[in-house]
Amino acid sequence: MVQTEERDDPPGGGAVQMRGTNQSGMRAYNEKLILTLIRRSGALAKSDLTRLTGLSAQTISVIMRRLEADGLVIRGEPQRGRIGQPSIPLSLNPEGAYSLGLKIGRRSMELVLMNFLGEVIHRSARTHRYPKPDQAIQFAHDAIGALISRLDSDALSRIAGLGIAMPFYLWNWTRALGVPDEAMADWRDADIRSEIASMYAFPVYLENDASSACAAEIAFGVANTPDDYLYFYVGYFIGGGVVLNRALYTGPGGNSGALGPMPVVGRDGKVCQLIEVASLSELEKQLAVQGLETSSLWEGTENWQVNAGILDDWIASAAAGLAHAIASACSLIDFSAIVVDGWLPVDVRLRLVDAISDELEKLDMTGLEKPEIRSGVVGADARALGAASLPLFARFLLNQKLTNRDAA
């Protein structure tokens, strides 16, 4: 399906009214509209879709028959009400479409295979000292081969594409990574999207890693998230995203929400960048100084082996820096909520959210509305899931971004 009209209606949130059109030539948009509403709200009957979209009952029936024939939706059990014929809820078919997501991080790479519901079916991962383009391409090729070998021919035909989430301008971060400039120089001329796209028939998309994480929160987060919020993803370096009217705003260069360079006041009272106090690179550095192992930080978030005192100190420093960043951001845009997620164990993320709220209470917020500080719900998989969601939104669902990047 090809979208014939650009709209700024993003996924995320509950069942809100989104208007369709009964005019001819709008099949693609109306199909995406209906699939997006079902994805947001769960199973919906035709009567619900008629009410939510403003489309005629006949138009809804035609579209639903087509989507069912294409294997994108499935019928549920009839729901009997007090009067009239029983309604039949329709939901997304988990096997209706699949997508691949590649996360290229500063300490690890991961590739996931996701179904139409956003559930991870298979995954492959590896850690590294720092990423190299040729190694990333080889990893992607090997992992894609291993993952899709598990699919039958019908599932293979339903792969919508591959999304790539990675930091932009990787060659600028050699000093922070502690590697020589020449180690990352190849990224200046690397076109990893085109390189990988040349190997496969499906389209390949590219997005900033933190923006991808934010897109995953929009797509797979809870229904009661506010329309506008600032999103922080705590990874090796902290990043984030700006959500306006439930859509990810990436800006003309695709780098809006690059929150790491924001000036903040550290616990010592000196001005520094947020990236220096609220990134996992700082936690890794503190562990290394004490001669403690750091590899468990990047192998997963379930088995961290982190000294309790060092972790407490890092949470306190990160929370103080984040509170200052939030106060600054809210003076520019009146965000009603701040969402904090990251490559963190759930208990650490919740502790960080509580600490940020405490630190905000210490700041002078005169003239500003204090936002609600929320924990993200996607977690450590956010970047990979955000990458994998890119092909699904391009082909089947309404766009979750205010600016777009073209696919190969």
Side-chain angles (χ1 to χ4, degrees):
M1 292 184 286
V2 178
Q3 189 174 6
T4 57
E5 178 177 306
E6 280 294 333
R7 301 288 288 258
D8 285 338
D9 301 303
V16 295
Q17 194 169 45
M18 301 168 65
R19 309 304 292 181
T21 174
N22 292 292
Q23 298 177 0
S24 62
M26 295 304 296
R27 168 184 171 179
Y29 174 76
N30 287 337
E31 286 180 349
K32 286 188 172 186
L33 171 61
I34 288 172
L35 289 171
T36 298
L37 285 169
I38 295 175
R39 191 214 60 76
R40 286 187 189 175
S41 306
L44 292 173
K46 292 179 184 178
S47 57
D48 297 322
L49 291 167
T50 300
R51 173 176 53 83
L52 291 168
T53 63
L55 296 170
S56 69
Q58 181 180 7
T59 298
I60 291 291
S61 294
V62 170
I63 293 174
M64 295 309 297
R65 284 197 298 269
R66 189 158 53 228
L67 293 176
E68 190 175 7
D70 289 342
L72 296 175
V73 299
I74 52 178
R75 292 172 178 259
E77 294 294 326
Q79 305 294 311
R80 295 190 177 275
R82 295 182 179 178
I83 58 174
Q85 296 294 321
S87 62
I88 300 176
L90 295 111
S91 57
L92 296 185
N93 179 4
E95 299 176 354
Y98 296 90
S99 62
L100 294 155
L102 172 64
K103 180 212 75 176
I104 301 174
R106 296 176 177 88
R107 281 288 188 264
S108 65
M109 288 186 283
E110 183 176 20
L111 188 130
V112 300
L113 175 67
M114 185 173 76
N115 68 13
F116 205 17
L117 298 184
E119 299 167 337
V120 175
I121 306 302
H122 301 295
R123 72 172 73 231
S124 181
R126 59 161 290 182
T127 58
H128 49 237
R129 176 69 180 84
Y130 57 89
K132 295 181 179 180
D134 57 341
Q135 292 179 352
I137 292 170
Q138 188 62 52
F139 168 77
H141 184 60
D142 293 343
I144 290 171
L147 295 184
I148 66 177
S149 67
R150 309 182 185 201
L151 302 179
D152 58 29
S153 58
D154 180 65
L156 284 173
S157 69
R158 293 180 178 275
I159 294 179
L162 166 73
I164 303 173
M166 60 176 287
F168 290 169
Y169 312 113
L170 269 168
W171 58 88
N172 286 336
W173 299 99
T174 53
R175 181 176 300 178
L177 284 168
V179 299
D181 289 345
E182 57 269 22
M184 304 281 280
D186 289 346
W187 284 106
R188 286 184 176 275
D189 301 315
D191 186 350
I192 194 167
R193 181 184 65 82
S194 296
E195 288 280 349
I196 295 177
S198 68
M199 303 178 186
Y200 303 98
F202 47 69
V204 179
Y205 304 80
L206 175 68
E207 186 56 83
N208 174 270
D209 60 336
S211 295
S212 293
C214 187
E217 185 70 26
I218 297 171
F220 308 118
V222 295
N224 65 345
T225 304
D227 290 350
D228 307 314
Y229 60 89
L230 186 64
Y231 174 87
F232 289 93
Y233 186 88
V234 182
Y236 185 84
F237 292 141
I238 192 168
V242 176
V243 178
L244 302 175
N245 192 26
R246 290 180 297 157
L248 174 62
Y249 178 74
T250 57
N255 210 35
S256 293
L259 301 168
M262 284 188 71
V264 299
V265 178
R267 294 171 71 195
D268 58 2
K270 297 180 180 179
V271 175
C272 61
Q273 290 188 332
L274 181 63
I275 198 171
E276 298 177 56
V277 294
S279 299
L280 292 179
S281 58
E282 183 61 26
L283 177 59
E284 181 186 56
K285 185 188 303 181
Q286 293 176 24
L287 291 169
V289 167
Q290 297 298 321
L292 302 173
E293 73 87 27
T294 62
S295 60
S296 67
L297 290 176
W298 316 115
E299 293 170 354
T301 59
E302 296 180 356
N303 298 305
W304 270 22
Q305 301 172 18
V306 179
N307 175 275
I310 292 176
L311 180 59
D312 291 346
D313 187 68
W314 177 82
I315 290 175
S317 295
L322 282 162
H324 280 277
I326 290 166
S328 297
C330 288
S331 68
L332 181 64
I333 298 177
D334 188 20
F335 292 110
S336 59
I338 307 296
V339 177
V340 180
D341 209 340
W343 184 264
L344 301 166
V346 174
D347 64 318
V348 174
R349 184 171 74 241
L350 296 176
R351 287 178 59 193
L352 179 60
V353 167
D354 289 341
I356 294 169
S357 295
D358 292 341
E359 290 294 330
L360 272 180
E361 294 292 342
K362 301 175 185 178
L363 299 182
D364 184 356
M365 299 283 286
T366 302
L368 301 175
E369 290 290 332
K370 181 184 175 183
E372 176 189 5
I373 312 299
R374 292 184 169 210
S375 172
V377 300
V378 181
D381 280 341
R383 292 170 294 180
L385 290 182
S389 73
L390 297 175
L392 295 183
F393 283 106
R395 186 171 178 184
F396 299 112
L397 304 169
L398 289 185
N399 202 348
Q400 86 273 33
K401 296 203 302 174
L402 295 178
T403 58
N404 301 299
R405 292 186 174 278
D406 295 330

